[in-house]
């Protein structure tokens, strides 16, 4: 995810961004009424930051989401079919759900009982599930999607009304406002979407558009996401869009969706997107999904979100590119594209390691600028970020030493930012990216880029941790890097960039 800010590469870029992050408040809703039996799957997957996200006792394999959306009332009528496997014997289990009223739940074609409390949906099937048993759940519901009681800012945006429809966005937990889900990246699954909207509106989701079924006055759009996906990346956007297709020189299909009034400017603004796909494929490994694209919605949101294979953008992305605001325009397009490898194909195992998403995506945008505009640009960016992180920019502005210390203390610790600073620009995005540049200088370009490719190949379509990345870097480089990563990810004081390896 990238905050759309009008930043430059000047020494002041970081201070503009500091403190503009996402705060996800932890509250503890009343637990849903448990069954009398002892075989109840846990109501959390085990994340230290967000204990009530996700659930235990099963592994979801596939979601089939079938919804009809009323774009005027902003309501849905839906049924979500969930194919899963019990990882232990279960007499009841939970989903994360903050959506509309439920009319029925079926488990293996039998009516199940259920209870809701807070954002927890507890389901008790008519027949107990054995460990290792495959099972199917169908949840039918209708009404206005809500918001998670545990969330603020980005996460609570889950269901966003636009001028001509609606869109979904929510990291770390906005998907549960419109379908029942095991809402943690650790339980990735494939997806099918069947979205019905009134004509002439268009429905956009993840993956590939397999068919459009025309009815009298409405159409049903069938989308398939064939590769496993973390739930917060699920895309639903409905509006009066124009689709523009192209194919990169390397053969990757690009589908961009723009509001009708912005279609011409959008095409110009995204003109280098295909070149970016091919460049990143050369340095990270082959593009990991069946197609890529961006969707610009008709709503003034203040961020972009790297939803898998179909990135969400605000209209300001077009203005920023056309006005040559490179950090907020071209850099944001590159940032979100980098996420397709780092965050989407390889997902977090725990939210503490958010730098594996945002630090890598930020560095990806720097790599693009280096590729497109020359090595001197990378030097300018990294020197300015390094200066800002150690307080030089504040001293240059004549700010007193105590104030500088107070400012630096607001930066998140990159490897453990805490829930309240999950999207801290300085500590997570910029220091995370600077950590990768420092690693590059330490082990050399050949080992660095081989490390990135090996990491993606090893964990693609699954999950990874900071320790996993460190292990890959050590294996590829042949160097012991524990002290390096401890200093760069966990020490409050930012180390100086190392001298490049000869």
């Amino acid at each position: 995810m990238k905050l759309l800010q009008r930043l430059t590469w000047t020494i002041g870029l970081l201070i503009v961004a500091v403190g503009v992050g996402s705060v996800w408040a932890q509250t503890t809703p009343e637990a849903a009424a448990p069954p009398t039996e002892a075989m109840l799957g846990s109501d959390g997957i085990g994340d230290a930051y967000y204990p009530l996200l996700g659930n235990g006792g099963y592994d979801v394999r596939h979601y089939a989401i079938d919804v009809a959306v009323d774009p005027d009332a902003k309501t849905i009528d839906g049924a979500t079919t969930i194919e899963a496997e019990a990882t232990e014997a279960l007499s009841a289990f939970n989903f994360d759900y903050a959506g509309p009223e439920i009319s029925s739940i079926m488990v293996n074609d039998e009516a199940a009982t259920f209870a809701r409390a807070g954002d927890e949906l507890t389901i008790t099937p008519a027949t107990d599930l054995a460990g290792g048993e495959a099972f199917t759940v169908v949840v039918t519901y209708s009404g206005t999607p809500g918001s998670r009681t545990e969330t603020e800012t980005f996460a609570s945006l889950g269901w966003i009304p636009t001028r001509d429809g609606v869109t979904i966005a929510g990291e770390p937990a906005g998907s549960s406002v419109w379908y029942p889900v095991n809402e943690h990246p650790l339980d990735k699954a494939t997806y099918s979407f069947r979205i019905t909207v009134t004509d002439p509106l268009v429905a956009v989701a993840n993956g590939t558009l397999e068919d459009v079924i025309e009815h009298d006055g409405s159409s049903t759009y069938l989308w398939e996401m064939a590769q496993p996906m973390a739930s917060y990346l699920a895309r639903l956007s409905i509006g009066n869009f124009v689709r523009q297709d192209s194919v990169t020189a390397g053969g990757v299909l690009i589908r961009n969706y723009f509001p009708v009034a912005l279609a011409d400017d959008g095409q110009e603004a995204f003109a280098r997107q295909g070149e970016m796909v091919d460049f990143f494929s050369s340095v990270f490994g082959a593009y990991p999904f069946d197609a890529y694209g961006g969707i610009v919605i008709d709503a003034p949101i203040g961020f972009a979100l790297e939803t898998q294979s179909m990135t969400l953008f605000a209209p300001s992305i077009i203005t920023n590119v056309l006005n040559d605001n490179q950090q907020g325009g071209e850099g944001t397009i590159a940032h979100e594209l980098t996420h397709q490898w780092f965050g989407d194909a390889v997902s977090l195992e725990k939210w503490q390691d958010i730098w594996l998403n945002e630090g890598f995506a930020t560095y990806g945008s720097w790599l693009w600028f280096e590729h497109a505009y020359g090595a001197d640009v990378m030097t300018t960016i990294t020197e300015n970020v390094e200066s800002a992180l150690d307080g030089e920019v504040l001293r240059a502005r004549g700010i007193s030493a105590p104030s500088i210390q107070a400012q630096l203390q607001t930066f998140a610790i990159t490897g453990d930012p805490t829930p309240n600073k999950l999207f801290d620009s300085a500590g997570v995005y910029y220091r995370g990216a600077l950590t990768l540049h420092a690693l590059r200088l330490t082990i050399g370009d050949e080992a660095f880029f081989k490390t990135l490719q090996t990491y993606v190949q090893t964990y693609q379509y699954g999950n990874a941790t900071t320790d996993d990345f460190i292990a890959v870097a050590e294996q590829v480089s042949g160097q012991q890097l524990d002290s390096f990563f401890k200093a760069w990810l966990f020490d409050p004081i930012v180390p100086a960039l190392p001298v490049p390896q000869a």
Side-chain angles (χ1 to χ4, degrees):
M1 178 163 47
K2 176 68 175 179
L3 299 180
L4 294 182
Q5 300 165 350
R6 298 186 58 83
L7 303 182
T8 67
W9 296 332
T10 67
I11 199 170
L13 69 87
L14 191 61
I15 303 306
V16 176
V18 169
V20 184
S22 177
V23 178
W24 196 43
Q26 276 292 102
T27 61
T28 305
E30 179 183 355
T36 56
E37 298 89 340
M39 299 183 297
L40 172 63
S42 64
D43 59 2
I45 209 167
D47 193 279
Y49 278 11
Y50 307 122
L52 293 180
L53 272 192
N55 301 280
Y58 62 88
D59 178 22
V60 176
R61 303 301 173 84
H62 186 74
Y63 293 94
I65 302 173
D66 185 348
V67 293
V69 181
D70 184 330
D72 296 322
K74 315 299 184 188
T75 59
I76 60 175
D77 290 293
T80 294
T81 301
I82 303 162
E83 299 174 14
E85 179 179 318
T87 57
E88 60 188 77
L90 293 173
S91 56
F93 53 90
N94 283 14
F95 286 117
D96 300 294
Y97 186 63
E101 183 177 354
I102 295 172
S103 57
S104 69
I105 297 180
M106 305 288 288
V107 178
N108 292 337
D109 297 321
E110 294 184 290
T113 58
F114 61 92
R116 297 181 65 175
D119 300 328
E120 295 290 334
L121 168 64
T122 301
I123 300 172
T124 304
T127 304
D128 290 350
L129 302 172
E133 178 182 351
F135 65 99
T136 301
V137 181
V138 181
V139 182
T140 304
Y141 49 95
S142 63
T144 303
S147 61
R148 287 186 62 92
T149 59
E150 298 177 54
T151 62
E152 294 180 1
T153 60
F154 286 109
S156 65
L157 287 175
W159 185 254
I160 305 172
T162 63
R163 292 183 181 92
D164 56 0
V166 295
T167 201
I168 290 292
E171 183 186 7
S175 289
S176 55
V177 306
W178 71 289
Y179 70 97
V181 57
N182 197 17
E183 197 161 32
H184 192 281
L186 193 56
D187 193 1
K188 300 171 74 168
T190 55
Y191 279 74
S192 299
F193 301 90
R194 183 183 180 95
I195 306 166
T196 301
V197 296
T198 55
D199 297 333
L201 298 180
V202 174
V204 181
N206 307 86
T208 56
L209 179 61
E210 298 297 312
D211 197 8
V212 180
I213 303 171
E214 297 181 353
H215 313 290
D216 184 13
S218 65
S219 297
T220 299
Y221 291 77
L222 307 182
W223 290 81
E224 290 289 335
M225 185 67 247
Q227 292 80 28
M229 179 168 68
S231 59
Y232 75 91
L233 300 170
R235 157 94 354 261
L236 171 66
S237 290
I238 295 168
N240 193 11
F241 298 117
V242 173
R243 172 170 166 160
Q244 298 176 353
D245 286 14
S246 62
V247 178
T248 75
V252 177
L253 173 64
I254 303 287
R255 308 83 26 89
N256 290 328
Y257 287 82
F258 302 110
V260 172
L262 298 177
D264 291 342
D265 286 345
Q267 185 173 23
E268 181 180 353
F270 281 74
R272 302 196 72 176
Q273 187 182 40
E275 185 183 348
M276 290 181 186
V277 171
D278 288 342
F279 167 67
F280 288 134
S281 296
S282 72
V283 293
F284 302 148
Y287 177 72
F289 305 114
D290 296 326
Y292 184 61
I295 181 165
V296 177
I297 62 168
D298 193 6
I301 58 174
F303 61 93
L305 181 63
E306 64 275 11
T307 42
Q308 189 161 302
S309 79
M310 184 63 70
T311 292
L312 175 70
F313 293 99
S316 56
I317 188 70
I318 296 174
T319 304
N320 286 341
V321 174
L322 298 185
N323 289 342
D324 202 30
N325 176 357
Q326 290 179 309
Q327 186 72 8
E330 192 174 328
T332 295
I333 294 174
H335 177 110
E336 304 305 335
L337 175 55
T338 302
H339 272 305
Q340 301 303 309
W341 286 264
F342 302 102
D344 293 10
V346 181
S347 298
L348 301 173
E349 187 171 309
K350 52 184 179 177
W351 281 107
Q352 176 184 330
D353 291 335
I354 185 65
W355 85 279
L356 293 174
N357 288 14
E358 302 302 347
F360 281 55
T362 301
Y363 196 64
S365 70
W366 298 357
L367 289 173
W368 166 253
F369 287 134
E370 179 184 40
H371 167 76
Y373 303 108
D376 289 347
V377 174
M378 177 66 83
T379 301
T380 298
I381 294 172
T382 54
E383 287 181 352
N384 288 341
V385 171
E386 182 182 29
S387 296
L389 285 172
D390 72 9
E392 287 182 20
V393 66
L394 299 175
R395 284 190 289 272
R397 291 183 176 183
I399 298 175
S400 66
S403 296
I404 291 174
Q405 187 64 27
Q407 179 74 75
L408 295 179
Q409 288 176 350
T410 68
F411 297 172
I413 299 298
T414 308
D416 190 7
T418 75
N420 286 344
K421 294 184 179 180
L422 197 67
F423 299 107
D424 180 72
S425 298
V428 175
Y429 290 67
Y430 291 107
R431 184 170 172 179
L434 205 64
T435 297
L436 291 174
H437 192 66
L439 177 64
R440 181 181 175 183
L441 296 176
T442 299
I443 66 177
D445 275 16
E446 182 178 357
F448 176 74
F449 288 107
K450 185 178 179 182
T451 293
L452 296 184
Q453 293 178 6
T454 303
Y455 174 71
V456 171
Q457 291 169 359
T458 303
Y459 296 102
Q460 185 163 267
Y461 309 132
N463 302 79
T465 66
T466 294
D467 286 343
D468 292 328
F469 179 72
I470 294 172
V472 171
E474 291 183 333
Q475 182 261 322
V476 170
S477 69
Q479 298 185 34
Q480 205 285 329
L481 297 168
D482 284 352
S483 59
F484 169 89
F485 281 105
K486 180 181 182 299
W488 275 96
L489 296 178
F490 296 100
D491 286 356
I493 302 301
V494 180
L497 282 173
V499 176
Q501 187 185 72

